[in-house]
Amino acid sequence: MSEPDLKKLSINLATLRGQCDLVQAVDVCLKHGITAIAPWRDQIAAVGLDRAARAVRENRLQVTGLCRGGMFPAATPEERQAAIDDNLRALEEAVALSADCLVLVVGGLPDGSKDIGAARQMVADGIAAILERCRNAKMPLAIEPLHPMYAADRACINTIDQALDVCDILDPDNTGGIGVAVDAYHVWWDPRLEAALARAGEGNRILAHHICDWLVPTKDLLLDRGMMGDGVIDLARLRRLVLAAGFDGPQEVEIFSAEDWWKRPADETARTCVERWRTHCQP
Amino acid sequence: MSEPDLKKLSINLATLRGQCDLVQAVDVCLKHGITAIAPWRDQIAAVGLDRAARAVRENRLQVTGLCRGGMFPAATPEERQAAIDDNLRALEEAVALSADCLVLVVGGLPDGSKDIGAARQMVADGIAAILERCRNAKMPLAIEPLHPMYAADRACINTIDQALDVCDILDPDNTGGIGVAVDAYHVWWDPRLEAALARAGEGNRILAHHICDWLVPTKDLLLDRGMMGDGVIDLARLRRLVLAAGFDGPQEVEIFSAEDWWKRPADETARTCVERWRTHCQP
């Protein structure tokens, strides 16, 4: 097997959140030959958008996505409008960083609500409200289906099929500008994974490919994600399916790991990402 | 609204696992007017099958299901055969208790495996190996799709649709003897919930209806399930959908709650189950 091209590896800066600010994380990535990143908005705010954009530009980094827009459902029209306004600010940041896409973690149930159908409609309405502005800015929106264990509080879009249904409703002629982010952690269990990825491929809907691993046991619903190879996900197979569906952009390592990888030296975490991506994530 | 018929409430004895053995739990249920239960095999073993069967018979209890068969995937043929043998013993216990069905928690990935497709095939093969014996004993098998967060270690069947696909493969002529257990906790998030339940209804496939609630936040993947009304699941709507699909058997309360309901007096837990079933679970 030939050596994989390191340009096909991106580090989502959540992975180094425990140790580094954005500028420090960029330095760590560069030291390990990684030239693609995906920052979070709070990480950008902490150093300032100008400084973040300069770090990207001067180092010629690829930004595989900005995390995150979304969080559309809310109890009142005013709150929903505030969410839309905030997404438009996220759009500006994504443009300033020349990101490949703006990742949408769409949001869960409004406080006190048990109506997940209504929340899902609010998501579609929220995306519809920003789509044209995003298209004009040439910034694709990547709906990220989240694992069903986050349906209540983070994202009520929980499968690739469901995300594609929203894409098809908002973009029936498939003119683009909206698609999906495929995160191994969220979708690996789906019995329709292969079929849904093929469907995504037919519409050219895949905009990002995130990786980490599902640990057994998983000790925390949010912050106990695993390094590639330490869990049960067949990441090589997933990469084959994603490639077959027409997406050959970088695999983006996104690991929320409060008790493990966030506590190790950033150098060790980054180096391990490269190693495991080489050994466990190649098609 | 007329008073709901208490015969339509069952207590899965996992709900009282922290406080009671099987015989004690039966007494608590009877005290609160509950005449349907669903025991676990370890609870039966602790008091002995004869004594458990006598408690059921003498109190004319409905047993809405025996928990549980399943756990079919394993690394070696010998282990898979051992699982099948164990399921046949579970069948005998279900028959001895005149249970409505034998609930199948089908099992996750064998140790060291990342091949969820192979695990799913082992599940279908395992069920196929016991189906005829179960049919001859007139004991229906209820495949329980578990929440996707259990795909690795408890059940690789994770949606109603997927369970129905297995039913359709093993029982293409819909002669019965195999169906699904619909547990609110596991399926509430599914964007295809309504469609999948309608499909289940067309095939007369619903054999059990379990209830509890999804808490926000959920602090533990297994043992932090909520009392009906304390979480985000629209249990009244689910009941309407289940009734529309042709199942009008009892709603069975199954709450794994190590830090809350298992620590309260059994009387309080049982009384609260009755109250919340009345107030939150009626169609």
Side-chain angles (χ1 to χ4, degrees):
Chain A
M1 192 172 76
S2 64
E3 188 67 7
D5 180 358
L6 207 48
K7 286 196 183 311
K8 297 296 184 182
L9 172 64
S10 173
I11 302 293
N12 184 301
L13 298 191
T15 307
L16 299 170
R17 162 182 297 288
Q19 306 97 330
C20 299
D21 72 14
L22 184 148
V23 174
Q24 293 165 334
V26 165
D27 286 342
V28 172
C29 288
L30 290 170
K31 180 176 163 190
H32 291 274
I34 300 158
T35 57
I37 63 166
W40 283 63
R41 291 183 70 200
D42 67 310
Q43 294 175 311
I44 294 166
V47 302
L49 179 60
D50 287 349
R51 192 161 173 224
R54 200 166 64 237
V56 165
R57 202 169 50 240
E58 290 179 352
N59 295 297
R60 300 183 183 183
L61 299 177
Q62 179 177 2
V63 175
T64 49
L66 174 65
C67 293
R68 60 179 194 209
M71 297 292 166
F72 294 107
T76 68
E78 293 72 24
E79 289 170 291
R80 293 196 288 278
Q81 185 58 49
I84 288 167
D85 295 343
D86 191 54
N87 273 273
L88 293 175
R89 287 190 292 275
L91 167 62
E92 289 175 22
E93 294 175 28
V95 169
L97 296 172
S98 302
D100 294 344
C101 60
L102 173 59
V103 174
L104 300 181
V105 173
V106 299
L109 292 165
D111 278 349
S113 169
K114 301 187 183 201
D115 190 345
I116 197 166
R120 286 165 171 163
Q121 187 59 51
M122 291 176 193
V123 169
D125 293 345
I127 298 174
I130 65 170
L131 181 57
E132 208 48 42
R133 289 274 292 275
C134 295
R135 277 179 169 154
N136 290 339
K138 299 194 189 314
M139 182 53 60
L141 292 172
I143 302 173
E144 182 168 0
L146 254 55
H147 195 284
M149 69 185 174
Y150 304 121
D153 52 356
R154 283 190 171 71
C156 58
I157 292 190
N158 305 104
T159 65
I160 296 169
D161 275 313
Q162 191 190 0
L164 292 173
D165 289 344
V166 174
C167 292
D168 288 348
I169 288 168
L170 298 180
D171 178 33
D173 299 327
N174 205 1
T175 50
I178 185 163
V180 298
V182 175
D183 185 314
Y185 194 76
H186 298 307
V187 305
W188 73 274
W189 60 273
D190 188 347
R192 281 193 42 85
L193 180 60
E194 188 163 350
L197 287 172
R199 178 184 164 199
E202 285 165 20
N204 273 313
R205 296 284 197 201
I206 302 180
L207 296 173
H209 177 191
H210 301 177
I211 53 174
C212 69
D213 214 335
W214 180 278
L215 299 177
V216 178
T218 292
K219 294 173 195 158
D220 184 273
L221 271 77
L222 185 61
L223 301 180
D224 192 29
R225 301 187 189 177
M227 180 63 67
M228 298 80 73
D230 289 343
V232 300
I233 305 178
D234 186 343
L235 292 161
R237 171 176 180 258
L238 179 62
R239 184 60 174 175
R240 289 194 296 274
L241 294 174
V242 167
L243 286 172
F247 180 81
D248 71 347
Q251 295 185 69
E252 177 186 317
V253 181
E254 184 181 36
I255 305 178
F256 294 6
S257 172
E259 298 302 321
D260 189 356
W261 296 100
W262 288 356
K263 288 195 167 167
R264 304 200 196 196
D267 246 2
E268 180 184 348
T269 298
R271 188 183 67 240
T272 309
C273 287
V274 175
E275 290 170 0
R276 298 297 183 82
W277 166 77
R278 283 188 208 275
T279 52
H280 285 81
C281 307
Q282 302 310 311
Chain B
M1 193 170 75
S2 62
E3 188 67 4
D5 181 357
L6 207 48
K7 286 197 184 309
K8 297 296 184 181
L9 172 64
S10 173
I11 302 293
N12 184 301
L13 298 191
T15 308
L16 299 170
R17 159 182 299 288
Q19 305 97 329
C20 299
D21 72 15
L22 185 147
V23 173
Q24 293 165 333
V26 166
D27 286 343
V28 171
C29 287
L30 290 170
K31 180 176 164 190
H32 291 273
I34 300 158
T35 57
I37 63 166
W40 283 63
R41 290 184 71 200
D42 66 312
Q43 294 175 310
I44 294 167
V47 301
L49 179 59
D50 288 348
R51 192 161 173 223
R54 201 167 63 236
V56 166
R57 201 171 49 242
E58 291 179 351
N59 295 297
R60 299 184 184 183
L61 299 177
Q62 179 177 3
V63 175
T64 49
L66 174 66
C67 294
R68 61 184 192 202
M71 296 292 165
F72 295 106
T76 69
E78 292 73 22
E79 289 170 291
R80 292 197 289 277
Q81 184 59 50
I84 288 166
D85 295 342
D86 191 53
N87 273 272
L88 294 174
R89 285 190 292 274
L91 166 63
E92 289 175 23
E93 293 175 27
V95 169
L97 296 172
S98 302
D100 294 344
C101 60
L102 173 60
V103 174
L104 300 181
V105 173
V106 299
L109 292 164
D111 278 350
S113 170
K114 300 187 184 201
D115 190 345
I116 197 166
R120 286 165 171 164
Q121 186 60 52
M122 290 176 193
V123 169
D125 293 345
I127 298 175
I130 64 170
L131 181 56
E132 209 48 41
R133 289 274 292 275
C134 295
R135 278 180 168 154
N136 291 340
K138 301 196 187 311
M139 181 53 59
L141 292 172
I143 302 173
E144 183 167 359
L146 254 55
H147 194 285
M149 69 185 174
Y150 303 121
D153 51 358
R154 282 188 173 72
C156 59
I157 292 191
N158 306 104
T159 64
I160 296 170
D161 274 314
Q162 191 190 0
L164 292 173
D165 289 346
V166 174
C167 291
D168 289 348
I169 288 167
L170 297 181
D171 177 33
D173 299 327
N174 204 3
T175 50
I178 184 163
V180 298
V182 175
D183 185 314
Y185 194 76
H186 298 307
V187 306
W188 74 275
W189 60 272
D190 188 347
R192 281 193 42 85
L193 180 60
E194 189 165 347
L197 286 173
R199 178 185 164 200
E202 285 165 21
N204 273 313
R205 296 284 197 201
I206 301 180
L207 297 173
H209 177 191
H210 301 177
I211 53 175
C212 70
D213 215 335
W214 180 278
L215 299 177
V216 179
T218 292
K219 294 173 193 156
D220 185 272
L221 272 76
L222 185 60
L223 301 179
D224 192 28
R225 301 187 189 176
M227 179 64 66
M228 297 80 74
D230 289 343
V232 299
I233 305 178
D234 186 344
L235 292 162
R237 172 176 179 258
L238 179 62
R239 184 61 174 175
R240 288 194 295 275
L241 294 174
V242 166
L243 285 173
F247 181 82
D248 71 349
Q251 295 185 68
E252 176 186 318
V253 181
E254 184 182 37
I255 305 178
F256 294 5
S257 173
E259 298 301 322
D260 189 355
W261 296 102
W262 288 356
K263 288 194 167 169
R264 303 200 196 197
D267 247 1
E268 180 184 348
T269 298
R271 189 183 65 241
T272 310
C273 287
V274 175
E275 289 170 1
R276 298 297 183 81
W277 167 78
R278 283 189 208 272
T279 52
H280 286 81
C281 307
Q282 301 312 311

PDB file of all heavy atoms in Angstrom, chain B residues 83-101:
ATOM      1  N   ALA B  83     -25.417 -19.923  22.704  1.00  0.00           N
ATOM      2  CA  ALA B  83     -26.445 -18.879  22.790  1.00  0.00           C
ATOM      3  C   ALA B  83     -27.804 -19.432  22.365  1.00  0.00           C
ATOM      4  O   ALA B  83     -28.829 -19.147  22.990  1.00  0.00           O
ATOM      5  CB  ALA B  83     -26.054 -17.682  21.923  1.00  0.00           C
ATOM      6  N   ILE B  84     -27.797 -20.231  21.322  1.00  0.00           N
ATOM      7  CA  ILE B  84     -29.051 -20.845  20.863  1.00  0.00           C
ATOM      8  C   ILE B  84     -29.618 -21.760  21.941  1.00  0.00           C
ATOM      9  O   ILE B  84     -30.820 -21.720  22.255  1.00  0.00           O
ATOM     10  CB  ILE B  84     -28.812 -21.596  19.532  1.00  0.00           C
ATOM     11  CG1 ILE B  84     -28.595 -20.573  18.411  1.00  0.00           C
ATOM     12  CG2 ILE B  84     -29.973 -22.542  19.208  1.00  0.00           C
ATOM     13  CD1 ILE B  84     -28.036 -21.149  17.134  1.00  0.00           C
ATOM     14  N   ASP B  85     -28.754 -22.560  22.550  1.00  0.00           N
ATOM     15  CA  ASP B  85     -29.210 -23.453  23.623  1.00  0.00           C
ATOM     16  C   ASP B  85     -29.807 -22.648  24.770  1.00  0.00           C
ATOM     17  O   ASP B  85     -30.830 -23.038  25.346  1.00  0.00           O
ATOM     18  CB  ASP B  85     -28.040 -24.303  24.137  1.00  0.00           C
ATOM     19  CG  ASP B  85     -27.520 -25.252  23.063  1.00  0.00           C
ATOM     20  OD1 ASP B  85     -28.252 -25.499  22.076  1.00  0.00           O
ATOM     21  OD2 ASP B  85     -26.373 -25.733  23.194  1.00  0.00           O
ATOM     22  N   ASP B  86     -29.155 -21.543  25.081  1.00  0.00           N
ATOM     23  CA  ASP B  86     -29.667 -20.720  26.175  1.00  0.00           C
ATOM     24  C   ASP B  86     -31.020 -20.109  25.819  1.00  0.00           C
ATOM     25  O   ASP B  86     -31.909 -19.992  26.677  1.00  0.00           O
ATOM     26  CB  ASP B  86     -28.655 -19.616  26.503  1.00  0.00           C
ATOM     27  CG  ASP B  86     -29.019 -18.904  27.789  1.00  0.00           C
ATOM     28  OD1 ASP B  86     -29.210 -19.590  28.809  1.00  0.00           O
ATOM     29  OD2 ASP B  86     -29.148 -17.672  27.766  1.00  0.00           O
ATOM     30  N   ASN B  87     -31.197 -19.744  24.568  1.00  0.00           N
ATOM     31  CA  ASN B  87     -32.496 -19.231  24.147  1.00  0.00           C
ATOM     32  C   ASN B  87     -33.588 -20.298  24.264  1.00  0.00           C
ATOM     33  O   ASN B  87     -34.737 -19.983  24.587  1.00  0.00           O
ATOM     34  CB  ASN B  87     -32.414 -18.699  22.714  1.00  0.00           C
ATOM     35  CG  ASN B  87     -31.959 -17.248  22.660  1.00  0.00           C
ATOM     36  OD1 ASN B  87     -32.769 -16.342  22.738  1.00  0.00           O
ATOM     37  ND2 ASN B  87     -30.652 -17.023  22.562  1.00  0.00           N
ATOM     38  N   LEU B  88     -33.232 -21.546  24.027  1.00  0.00           N
ATOM     39  CA  LEU B  88     -34.234 -22.612  24.158  1.00  0.00           C
ATOM     40  C   LEU B  88     -34.620 -22.819  25.620  1.00  0.00           C
ATOM     41  O   LEU B  88     -35.773 -23.134  25.930  1.00  0.00           O
ATOM     42  CB  LEU B  88     -33.715 -23.903  23.516  1.00  0.00           C
ATOM     43  CG  LEU B  88     -33.552 -23.794  21.982  1.00  0.00           C
ATOM     44  CD1 LEU B  88     -32.910 -25.050  21.415  1.00  0.00           C
ATOM     45  CD2 LEU B  88     -34.895 -23.517  21.305  1.00  0.00           C
ATOM     46  N   ARG B  89     -33.660 -22.593  26.522  1.00  0.00           N
ATOM     47  CA  ARG B  89     -34.021 -22.628  27.947  1.00  0.00           C
ATOM     48  C   ARG B  89     -34.934 -21.440  28.297  1.00  0.00           C
ATOM     49  O   ARG B  89     -35.895 -21.590  29.058  1.00  0.00           O
ATOM     50  CB  ARG B  89     -32.749 -22.602  28.808  1.00  0.00           C
ATOM     51  CG  ARG B  89     -32.010 -23.944  28.818  1.00  0.00           C
ATOM     52  CD  ARG B  89     -30.899 -23.971  29.869  1.00  0.00           C
ATOM     53  NE  ARG B  89     -29.800 -23.058  29.540  1.00  0.00           N
ATOM     54  CZ  ARG B  89     -28.766 -23.360  28.757  1.00  0.00           C
ATOM     55  NH1 ARG B  89     -28.682 -24.574  28.199  1.00  0.00           N
ATOM     56  NH2 ARG B  89     -27.820 -22.483  28.530  1.00  0.00           N
ATOM     57  N   ALA B  90     -34.637 -20.305  27.720  1.00  0.00           N
ATOM     58  CA  ALA B  90     -35.508 -19.145  27.955  1.00  0.00           C
ATOM     59  C   ALA B  90     -36.919 -19.431  27.445  1.00  0.00           C
ATOM     60  O   ALA B  90     -37.914 -19.046  28.081  1.00  0.00           O
ATOM     61  CB  ALA B  90     -34.926 -17.907  27.264  1.00  0.00           C
ATOM     62  N   LEU B  91     -36.994 -20.112  26.319  1.00  0.00           N
ATOM     63  CA  LEU B  91     -38.304 -20.503  25.779  1.00  0.00           C
ATOM     64  C   LEU B  91     -39.080 -21.331  26.795  1.00  0.00           C
ATOM     65  O   LEU B  91     -40.277 -21.099  27.039  1.00  0.00           O
ATOM     66  CB  LEU B  91     -38.108 -21.284  24.474  1.00  0.00           C
ATOM     67  CG  LEU B  91     -39.325 -22.042  23.946  1.00  0.00           C
ATOM     68  CD1 LEU B  91     -40.455 -21.077  23.590  1.00  0.00           C
ATOM     69  CD2 LEU B  91     -38.949 -22.894  22.728  1.00  0.00           C
ATOM     70  N   GLU B  92     -38.403 -22.301  27.412  1.00  0.00           N
ATOM     71  CA  GLU B  92     -39.085 -23.141  28.410  1.00  0.00           C
ATOM     72  C   GLU B  92     -39.615 -22.304  29.566  1.00  0.00           C
ATOM     73  O   GLU B  92     -40.729 -22.520  30.044  1.00  0.00           O
ATOM     74  CB  GLU B  92     -38.124 -24.220  28.941  1.00  0.00           C
ATOM     75  CG  GLU B  92     -37.820 -25.305  27.926  1.00  0.00           C
ATOM     76  CD  GLU B  92     -36.766 -26.285  28.446  1.00  0.00           C
ATOM     77  OE1 GLU B  92     -36.608 -26.389  29.688  1.00  0.00           O
ATOM     78  OE2 GLU B  92     -36.107 -26.927  27.616  1.00  0.00           O
ATOM     79  N   GLU B  93     -38.806 -21.351  30.003  1.00  0.00           N
ATOM     80  CA  GLU B  93     -39.254 -20.498  31.108  1.00  0.00           C
ATOM     81  C   GLU B  93     -40.455 -19.648  30.690  1.00  0.00           C
ATOM     82  O   GLU B  93     -41.410 -19.476  31.466  1.00  0.00           O
ATOM     83  CB  GLU B  93     -38.105 -19.590  31.571  1.00  0.00           C
ATOM     84  CG  GLU B  93     -36.973 -20.371  32.216  1.00  0.00           C
ATOM     85  CD  GLU B  93     -35.780 -19.483  32.561  1.00  0.00           C
ATOM     86  OE1 GLU B  93     -35.969 -18.277  32.791  1.00  0.00           O
ATOM     87  OE2 GLU B  93     -34.653 -20.008  32.573  1.00  0.00           O
ATOM     88  N   ALA B  94     -40.393 -19.136  29.471  1.00  0.00           N
ATOM     89  CA  ALA B  94     -41.511 -18.312  28.988  1.00  0.00           C
ATOM     90  C   ALA B  94     -42.796 -19.136  28.935  1.00  0.00           C
ATOM     91  O   ALA B  94     -43.877 -18.664  29.304  1.00  0.00           O
ATOM     92  CB  ALA B  94     -41.173 -17.728  27.614  1.00  0.00           C
ATOM     93  N   VAL B  95     -42.671 -20.370  28.500  1.00  0.00           N
ATOM     94  CA  VAL B  95     -43.836 -21.262  28.446  1.00  0.00           C
ATOM     95  C   VAL B  95     -44.342 -21.553  29.859  1.00  0.00           C
ATOM     96  O   VAL B  95     -45.557 -21.509  30.125  1.00  0.00           O
ATOM     97  CB  VAL B  95     -43.477 -22.568  27.699  1.00  0.00           C
ATOM     98  CG1 VAL B  95     -44.577 -23.608  27.866  1.00  0.00           C
ATOM     99  CG2 VAL B  95     -43.218 -22.264  26.223  1.00  0.00           C
ATOM    100  N   ALA B  96     -43.419 -21.811  30.775  1.00  0.00           N
ATOM    101  CA  ALA B  96     -43.820 -22.122  32.156  1.00  0.00           C
ATOM    102  C   ALA B  96     -44.572 -20.954  32.791  1.00  0.00           C
ATOM    103  O   ALA B  96     -45.432 -21.164  33.658  1.00  0.00           O
ATOM    104  CB  ALA B  96     -42.582 -22.462  32.988  1.00  0.00           C
ATOM    105  N   LEU B  97     -44.263 -19.740  32.347  1.00  0.00           N
ATOM    106  CA  LEU B  97     -44.922 -18.555  32.902  1.00  0.00           C
ATOM    107  C   LEU B  97     -46.110 -18.104  32.047  1.00  0.00           C
ATOM    108  O   LEU B  97     -46.739 -17.096  32.359  1.00  0.00           O
ATOM    109  CB  LEU B  97     -43.916 -17.397  33.004  1.00  0.00           C
ATOM    110  CG  LEU B  97     -42.738 -17.609  33.951  1.00  0.00           C
ATOM    111  CD1 LEU B  97     -41.746 -16.470  33.804  1.00  0.00           C
ATOM    112  CD2 LEU B  97     -43.220 -17.718  35.397  1.00  0.00           C
ATOM    113  N   SER B  98     -46.397 -18.848  30.978  1.00  0.00           N
ATOM    114  CA  SER B  98     -47.447 -18.432  30.030  1.00  0.00           C
ATOM    115  C   SER B  98     -47.265 -16.985  29.595  1.00  0.00           C
ATOM    116  O   SER B  98     -48.226 -16.192  29.544  1.00  0.00           O
ATOM    117  CB  SER B  98     -48.843 -18.597  30.655  1.00  0.00           C
ATOM    118  OG  SER B  98     -49.048 -19.920  31.040  1.00  0.00           O
ATOM    119  N   ALA B  99     -46.035 -16.629  29.297  1.00  0.00           N
ATOM    120  CA  ALA B  99     -45.743 -15.254  28.869  1.00  0.00           C
ATOM    121  C   ALA B  99     -46.368 -14.958  27.502  1.00  0.00           C
ATOM    122  O   ALA B  99     -46.579 -15.871  26.689  1.00  0.00           O
ATOM    123  CB  ALA B  99     -44.230 -15.039  28.802  1.00  0.00           C
ATOM    124  N   ASP B 100     -46.671 -13.693  27.280  1.00  0.00           N
ATOM    125  CA  ASP B 100     -47.204 -13.296  25.972  1.00  0.00           C
ATOM    126  C   ASP B 100     -46.159 -13.425  24.869  1.00  0.00           C
ATOM    127  O   ASP B 100     -46.510 -13.641  23.706  1.00  0.00           O
ATOM    128  CB  ASP B 100     -47.683 -11.836  26.019  1.00  0.00           C
ATOM    129  CG  ASP B 100     -48.873 -11.653  26.944  1.00  0.00           C
ATOM    130  OD1 ASP B 100     -49.520 -12.669  27.305  1.00  0.00           O
ATOM    131  OD2 ASP B 100     -49.153 -10.495  27.315  1.00  0.00           O
ATOM    132  N   CYS B 101     -44.899 -13.246  25.238  1.00  0.00           N
ATOM    133  CA  CYS B 101     -43.835 -13.343  24.248  1.00  0.00           C
ATOM    134  C   CYS B 101     -42.496 -13.507  24.971  1.00  0.00           C
ATOM    135  O   CYS B 101     -42.388 -13.227  26.165  1.00  0.00           O
ATOM    136  CB  CYS B 101     -43.784 -12.103  23.344  1.00  0.00           C
ATOM    137  SG  CYS B 101     -43.479 -10.550  24.212  1.00  0.00           S
TER     138      CYS B 101
END
